[in-house]
Short mmCIF file of all heavy atoms in Angstrom, two decimals:
data_model
loop_
_atom_site.label_atom_id
_atom_site.label_comp_id
_atom_site.label_asym_id
_atom_site.label_seq_id
_atom_site.Cartn_x
_atom_site.Cartn_y
_atom_site.Cartn_z
N LEU P 26 127.38 188.92 108.99
CA LEU P 26 128.03 187.63 109.23
C LEU P 26 128.27 186.90 107.92
O LEU P 26 129.34 186.27 107.76
CB LEU P 26 127.19 186.82 110.19
CG LEU P 26 127.08 187.40 111.60
CD1 LEU P 26 126.09 186.60 112.45
CD2 LEU P 26 128.43 187.48 112.26
N SER P 27 127.34 186.95 106.99
CA SER P 27 127.58 186.28 105.71
C SER P 27 128.68 186.97 104.91
O SER P 27 129.44 186.30 104.21
CB SER P 27 126.28 186.20 104.89
OG SER P 27 125.87 187.48 104.51
N LEU P 28 128.77 188.29 104.99
CA LEU P 28 129.85 189.03 104.28
C LEU P 28 131.24 188.65 104.80
O LEU P 28 132.20 188.62 104.01
CB LEU P 28 129.67 190.53 104.46
CG LEU P 28 128.82 191.29 103.47
CD1 LEU P 28 128.68 192.72 103.92
CD2 LEU P 28 129.43 191.21 102.09
N PHE P 29 131.33 188.34 106.10
CA PHE P 29 132.63 188.06 106.68
C PHE P 29 132.83 186.57 106.93
O PHE P 29 133.42 186.16 107.93
CB PHE P 29 132.82 188.88 107.95
CG PHE P 29 132.97 190.33 107.67
CD1 PHE P 29 131.86 191.18 107.67
CD2 PHE P 29 134.20 190.87 107.34
CE1 PHE P 29 132.01 192.53 107.37
CE2 PHE P 29 134.34 192.21 107.04
CZ PHE P 29 133.23 193.04 107.05
N ASP P 30 132.33 185.76 106.00
CA ASP P 30 132.63 184.33 105.92
C ASP P 30 132.10 183.48 107.07
O ASP P 30 132.70 182.45 107.40
CB ASP P 30 134.17 184.12 105.80
CG ASP P 30 134.76 184.91 104.65
OD1 ASP P 30 134.18 184.84 103.56
OD2 ASP P 30 135.75 185.58 104.85
N TYR P 31 130.99 183.85 107.64
CA TYR P 31 130.33 182.98 108.61
C TYR P 31 129.64 181.85 107.91
O TYR P 31 128.93 182.08 106.92
CB TYR P 31 129.34 183.82 109.44
CG TYR P 31 128.51 182.96 110.37
CD1 TYR P 31 129.08 182.45 111.56
CD2 TYR P 31 127.18 182.67 110.07
CE1 TYR P 31 128.32 181.68 112.40
CE2 TYR P 31 126.44 181.91 110.94
CZ TYR P 31 127.01 181.39 112.09
OH TYR P 31 126.28 180.62 112.94
N ASP P 32 129.81 180.65 108.39
CA ASP P 32 129.16 179.47 107.79
C ASP P 32 127.96 179.09 108.66
O ASP P 32 128.15 178.63 109.79
CB ASP P 32 130.15 178.30 107.68
CG ASP P 32 129.50 177.08 107.09
OD1 ASP P 32 128.47 177.21 106.41
OD2 ASP P 32 130.05 175.99 107.31
N SER P 33 126.77 179.30 108.16
CA SER P 33 125.56 179.07 108.95
C SER P 33 125.14 177.61 108.94
O SER P 33 124.13 177.27 109.58
CB SER P 33 124.43 179.96 108.45
OG SER P 33 124.16 179.67 107.11
N SER P 34 125.84 176.76 108.22
CA SER P 34 125.41 175.34 108.15
C SER P 34 125.60 174.61 109.45
O SER P 34 124.94 173.62 109.69
CB SER P 34 126.21 174.63 107.04
OG SER P 34 127.55 174.45 107.45
N GLY P 35 126.52 175.07 110.27
CA GLY P 35 126.77 174.38 111.55
C GLY P 35 127.72 173.19 111.41
O GLY P 35 128.04 172.53 112.39
N ALA P 36 128.14 172.89 110.21
CA ALA P 36 129.07 171.79 109.97
C ALA P 36 130.44 172.16 110.47
O ALA P 36 130.91 173.28 110.26
CB ALA P 36 129.13 171.46 108.48
N PRO P 37 131.11 171.23 111.19
CA PRO P 37 132.45 171.55 111.66
C PRO P 37 133.44 171.65 110.49
O PRO P 37 133.43 170.82 109.58
CB PRO P 37 132.80 170.35 112.54
CG PRO P 37 131.86 169.27 112.16
CD PRO P 37 130.65 169.92 111.56
N ILE P 38 134.25 172.66 110.55
CA ILE P 38 135.29 172.85 109.49
C ILE P 38 136.60 173.14 110.18
O ILE P 38 136.62 173.83 111.21
CB ILE P 38 134.92 173.95 108.47
CG1 ILE P 38 134.55 175.24 109.21
CG2 ILE P 38 133.80 173.54 107.56
CD1 ILE P 38 134.28 176.41 108.29
N ALA P 39 137.68 172.64 109.65
CA ALA P 39 139.00 172.78 110.25
C ALA P 39 139.45 174.25 110.16
O ALA P 39 140.00 174.78 111.10
CB ALA P 39 140.00 171.88 109.59
N GLU P 40 139.27 174.86 109.02
CA GLU P 40 139.71 176.22 108.83
C GLU P 40 138.69 176.96 107.95
O GLU P 40 138.30 176.47 106.92
CB GLU P 40 141.09 176.26 108.14
CG GLU P 40 141.70 177.63 108.14
CD GLU P 40 143.12 177.59 107.63
OE1 GLU P 40 143.84 176.66 107.95
OE2 GLU P 40 143.49 178.53 106.88
N ARG P 41 138.29 178.11 108.44
CA ARG P 41 137.31 178.89 107.74
C ARG P 41 137.93 179.59 106.55
O ARG P 41 139.01 180.11 106.63
CB ARG P 41 136.81 179.95 108.67
CG ARG P 41 135.32 180.19 108.58
CD ARG P 41 134.91 181.28 109.53
NE ARG P 41 134.15 180.72 110.62
CZ ARG P 41 133.45 181.45 111.44
NH1 ARG P 41 133.45 182.75 111.33
NH2 ARG P 41 132.77 180.89 112.38
N PRO P 42 137.24 179.62 105.42
CA PRO P 42 137.77 180.37 104.27
C PRO P 42 137.71 181.88 104.60
O PRO P 42 136.82 182.30 105.35
CB PRO P 42 136.85 180.02 103.13
CG PRO P 42 135.57 179.61 103.79
CD PRO P 42 135.96 178.98 105.09
N THR P 43 138.61 182.61 104.07
CA THR P 43 138.57 184.06 104.28
C THR P 43 138.56 184.77 102.93
O THR P 43 139.23 184.35 102.01
CB THR P 43 139.80 184.56 105.06
OG1 THR P 43 140.98 184.21 104.40
CG2 THR P 43 139.83 183.97 106.48
N SER P 44 137.78 185.81 102.87
CA SER P 44 137.70 186.57 101.62
C SER P 44 137.95 188.03 101.93
O SER P 44 137.79 188.50 103.05
CB SER P 44 136.32 186.40 100.99
OG SER P 44 135.32 186.91 101.86
N GLN P 45 138.37 188.75 100.90
CA GLN P 45 138.52 190.20 101.00
C GLN P 45 137.81 190.78 99.79
O GLN P 45 138.28 190.65 98.66
CB GLN P 45 139.98 190.59 100.98
CG GLN P 45 140.73 190.11 102.22
CD GLN P 45 142.20 190.49 102.17
OE1 GLN P 45 142.73 190.90 101.15
NE2 GLN P 45 142.87 190.29 103.28
N THR P 46 136.66 191.38 100.06
CA THR P 46 135.86 191.89 98.95
C THR P 46 135.52 193.36 99.17
O THR P 46 135.51 193.81 100.30
CB THR P 46 134.51 191.10 98.86
OG1 THR P 46 133.74 191.38 100.05
CG2 THR P 46 134.76 189.60 98.76
N PRO P 47 135.22 194.05 98.09
CA PRO P 47 134.81 195.46 98.25
C PRO P 47 133.55 195.60 99.07
O PRO P 47 133.35 196.58 99.75
CB PRO P 47 134.54 195.90 96.79
CG PRO P 47 135.35 194.98 95.95
CD PRO P 47 135.39 193.68 96.69
N ALA P 48 132.69 194.56 99.02
CA ALA P 48 131.44 194.60 99.82
C ALA P 48 131.72 194.71 101.31
O ALA P 48 130.98 195.34 102.07
CB ALA P 48 130.59 193.39 99.53
N GLN P 49 132.84 194.13 101.78
CA GLN P 49 133.19 194.19 103.18
C GLN P 49 133.55 195.66 103.56
O GLN P 49 133.11 196.16 104.59
CB GLN P 49 134.36 193.27 103.48
CG GLN P 49 133.99 191.82 103.39
CD GLN P 49 135.20 190.90 103.46
OE1 GLN P 49 136.32 191.30 103.18
NE2 GLN P 49 134.96 189.64 103.81
N SER P 50 134.31 196.32 102.72
CA SER P 50 134.65 197.73 103.02
C SER P 50 133.43 198.61 102.95
O SER P 50 133.23 199.47 103.80
CB SER P 50 135.67 198.23 101.95
OG SER P 50 136.84 197.49 102.04
N LEU P 51 132.57 198.37 101.98
CA LEU P 51 131.35 199.16 101.86
C LEU P 51 130.40 198.93 103.06
O LEU P 51 129.68 199.83 103.46
CB LEU P 51 130.64 198.87 100.54
CG LEU P 51 131.39 199.35 99.31
CD1 LEU P 51 130.72 198.83 98.03
CD2 LEU P 51 131.47 200.86 99.30
N PHE P 52 130.44 197.74 103.59
CA PHE P 52 129.63 197.45 104.77
C PHE P 52 129.98 198.37 105.91
O PHE P 52 129.14 198.95 106.56
CB PHE P 52 129.83 195.99 105.20
CG PHE P 52 129.24 195.67 106.55
CD1 PHE P 52 127.89 195.42 106.68
CD2 PHE P 52 130.03 195.68 107.70
CE1 PHE P 52 127.33 195.13 107.92
CE2 PHE P 52 129.51 195.44 108.91
CZ PHE P 52 128.14 195.17 109.04
N TRP P 53 131.30 198.57 106.17
CA TRP P 53 131.75 199.43 107.25
C TRP P 53 131.35 200.86 107.03
O TRP P 53 131.14 201.64 107.97
CB TRP P 53 133.25 199.32 107.49
CG TRP P 53 133.65 197.96 107.98
CD1 TRP P 53 134.41 197.03 107.30
CD2 TRP P 53 133.30 197.34 109.22
NE1 TRP P 53 134.54 195.90 108.07
CE2 TRP P 53 133.87 196.07 109.24
CE3 TRP P 53 132.54 197.74 110.32
CZ2 TRP P 53 133.72 195.19 110.31
CZ3 TRP P 53 132.39 196.84 111.39
CH2 TRP P 53 132.97 195.61 111.37
N LEU P 54 131.23 201.29 105.78
CA LEU P 54 130.86 202.66 105.48
C LEU P 54 129.36 202.92 105.50
O LEU P 54 128.93 203.99 105.85
CB LEU P 54 131.41 203.03 104.07
CG LEU P 54 132.91 203.14 103.96
CD1 LEU P 54 133.30 203.34 102.51
CD2 LEU P 54 133.45 204.29 104.82
N ASN P 55 128.57 201.91 105.11
CA ASN P 55 127.15 202.16 104.83
C ASN P 55 126.15 201.41 105.72
O ASN P 55 124.97 201.64 105.64
CB ASN P 55 126.84 201.81 103.36
CG ASN P 55 127.67 202.61 102.41
OD1 ASN P 55 127.82 203.83 102.60
ND2 ASN P 55 128.20 201.98 101.42
N SER P 56 126.60 200.50 106.51
CA SER P 56 125.69 199.65 107.25
C SER P 56 124.99 200.38 108.40
O SER P 56 125.64 201.05 109.21
CB SER P 56 126.41 198.45 107.83
OG SER P 56 125.59 197.74 108.70
N PRO P 57 123.66 200.22 108.51
CA PRO P 57 122.94 200.77 109.68
C PRO P 57 123.41 200.12 110.98
O PRO P 57 123.34 200.75 112.02
CB PRO P 57 121.48 200.44 109.41
CG PRO P 57 121.40 200.08 107.97
CD PRO P 57 122.74 199.63 107.54
N LEU P 58 123.88 198.87 110.92
CA LEU P 58 124.37 198.22 112.12
C LEU P 58 125.61 198.90 112.65
O LEU P 58 125.73 199.18 113.88
CB LEU P 58 124.68 196.76 111.80
CG LEU P 58 125.15 195.89 112.97
CD1 LEU P 58 124.01 195.71 113.98
CD2 LEU P 58 125.61 194.51 112.48
N VAL P 59 126.54 199.22 111.77
CA VAL P 59 127.77 199.94 112.21
C VAL P 59 127.41 201.31 112.74
O VAL P 59 127.91 201.75 113.75
CB VAL P 59 128.77 200.01 111.02
CG1 VAL P 59 129.98 200.86 111.39
CG2 VAL P 59 129.19 198.61 110.58
N LYS P 60 126.49 202.00 112.06
CA LYS P 60 126.08 203.32 112.52
C LYS P 60 125.44 203.23 113.91
O LYS P 60 125.69 204.08 114.75
CB LYS P 60 125.12 203.97 111.51
CG LYS P 60 124.71 205.38 111.91
CD LYS P 60 123.71 205.96 110.92
CE LYS P 60 123.29 207.36 111.28
NZ LYS P 60 123.17 207.71 112.65
N TYR P 61 124.61 202.22 114.12
CA TYR P 61 123.95 202.03 115.39
C TYR P 61 124.99 201.91 116.51
O TYR P 61 124.91 202.62 117.53
CB TYR P 61 123.06 200.79 115.34
CG TYR P 61 122.47 200.38 116.69
CD1 TYR P 61 121.37 201.00 117.18
CD2 TYR P 61 123.08 199.36 117.45
CE1 TYR P 61 120.82 200.65 118.39
CE2 TYR P 61 122.57 199.02 118.66
CZ TYR P 61 121.43 199.65 119.12
OH TYR P 61 120.91 199.29 120.34
N TYR P 62 125.95 201.03 116.34
CA TYR P 62 126.97 200.83 117.40
C TYR P 62 127.90 202.04 117.54
O TYR P 62 128.33 202.35 118.63
CB TYR P 62 127.73 199.53 117.17
CG TYR P 62 126.93 198.32 117.60
CD1 TYR P 62 126.48 197.39 116.73
CD2 TYR P 62 126.64 198.15 118.96
CE1 TYR P 62 125.74 196.31 117.14
CE2 TYR P 62 125.91 197.07 119.39
CZ TYR P 62 125.44 196.15 118.47
OH TYR P 62 124.68 195.07 118.91
N ALA P 63 128.20 202.73 116.42
CA ALA P 63 129.03 203.93 116.50
C ALA P 63 128.30 205.01 117.28
O ALA P 63 128.87 205.71 118.12
CB ALA P 63 129.39 204.40 115.10
N ASP P 64 126.96 205.16 117.03
CA ASP P 64 126.18 206.14 117.78
C ASP P 64 126.15 205.82 119.24
O ASP P 64 126.28 206.70 120.11
CB ASP P 64 124.76 206.24 117.22
CG ASP P 64 124.69 206.90 115.85
OD1 ASP P 64 125.66 207.58 115.45
OD2 ASP P 64 123.63 206.77 115.19
N LYS P 65 125.95 204.56 119.58
CA LYS P 65 125.89 204.15 121.00
C LYS P 65 127.23 204.38 121.67
O LYS P 65 127.31 204.79 122.83
CB LYS P 65 125.48 202.67 121.11
CG LYS P 65 124.07 202.39 120.66
CD LYS P 65 123.09 203.11 121.54
CE LYS P 65 121.67 202.81 121.13
NZ LYS P 65 120.70 203.59 121.88
N PHE P 66 128.34 204.12 120.95
CA PHE P 66 129.67 204.35 121.49
C PHE P 66 129.88 205.82 121.74
O PHE P 66 130.40 206.27 122.78
CB PHE P 66 130.74 203.78 120.56
CG PHE P 66 132.13 203.86 121.08
CD1 PHE P 66 132.47 203.37 122.32
CD2 PHE P 66 133.12 204.42 120.29
CE1 PHE P 66 133.75 203.46 122.80
CE2 PHE P 66 134.42 204.51 120.77
CZ PHE P 66 134.74 204.02 122.01
N ALA P 67 129.48 206.67 120.77
CA ALA P 67 129.64 208.11 120.92
C ALA P 67 128.82 208.63 122.10
O ALA P 67 129.29 209.47 122.87
CB ALA P 67 129.21 208.82 119.63
N GLU P 68 127.59 208.10 122.26
CA GLU P 68 126.77 208.51 123.42
C GLU P 68 127.50 208.16 124.74
O GLU P 68 127.50 208.96 125.65
CB GLU P 68 125.42 207.79 123.38
CG GLU P 68 124.48 208.31 122.33
CD GLU P 68 123.24 207.41 122.19
OE1 GLU P 68 122.95 206.61 123.11
OE2 GLU P 68 122.53 207.57 121.19
N ARG P 69 128.08 206.98 124.77
CA ARG P 69 128.80 206.56 125.99
C ARG P 69 130.01 207.47 126.24
O ARG P 69 130.23 207.87 127.39
CB ARG P 69 129.27 205.11 125.78
CG ARG P 69 130.00 204.55 126.95
CD ARG P 69 130.36 203.09 126.76
NE ARG P 69 131.58 202.86 127.45
CZ ARG P 69 132.61 202.19 126.95
NH1 ARG P 69 132.54 201.66 125.79
NH2 ARG P 69 133.70 202.08 127.64
N LEU P 70 130.73 207.81 125.20
CA LEU P 70 131.89 208.70 125.40
C LEU P 70 131.48 210.08 125.84
O LEU P 70 132.11 210.69 126.70
CB LEU P 70 132.68 208.81 124.09
CG LEU P 70 133.48 207.60 123.66
CD1 LEU P 70 134.14 207.83 122.31
CD2 LEU P 70 134.50 207.20 124.68
N LEU P 71 130.41 210.61 125.27
CA LEU P 71 129.98 211.95 125.62
C LEU P 71 129.41 212.06 127.03
O LEU P 71 129.32 213.18 127.59
CB LEU P 71 128.95 212.46 124.61
CG LEU P 71 129.52 212.75 123.24
CD1 LEU P 71 128.39 213.07 122.23
CD2 LEU P 71 130.55 213.87 123.25
N LYS P 72 129.07 210.97 127.65
CA LYS P 72 128.61 210.97 129.04
C LYS P 72 129.77 211.05 130.00
O LYS P 72 129.58 211.35 131.19
CB LYS P 72 127.78 209.71 129.36
CG LYS P 72 126.45 209.71 128.70
CD LYS P 72 125.67 208.43 129.00
CE LYS P 72 124.35 208.41 128.26
NZ LYS P 72 123.68 207.12 128.44
#
């Protein structure tokens, strides 16, 4: 959530800033969270 511009302050903002960083791409490749959901999706498909 912090990598993809989530503001945890809870303050209302009119428009969220957006960033495009290499860390975002690397997150999709290396994150255990993405692997967890990809594995669960594959299990669902294989059933």
Side-chain angles (χ1 to χ4, degrees):
L26 295 174
S27 66
L28 270 175
F29 290 93
D30 306 313
Y31 173 75
D32 180 20
S33 60
S34 72
I38 51 176
E40 189 173 321
R41 220 181 250 194
T43 58
S44 63
Q45 294 178 350
T46 66
Q49 292 170 339
S50 298
L51 292 171
F52 169 81
W53 293 114
L54 292 172
N55 301 316
S56 171
L58 182 67
V59 174
K60 183 182 181 325
Y61 171 82
Y62 281 113
D64 288 345
K65 294 297 182 186
F66 184 53
E68 287 172 15
R69 181 176 147 225
L70 288 176
L71 290 173
K72 289 179 184 174

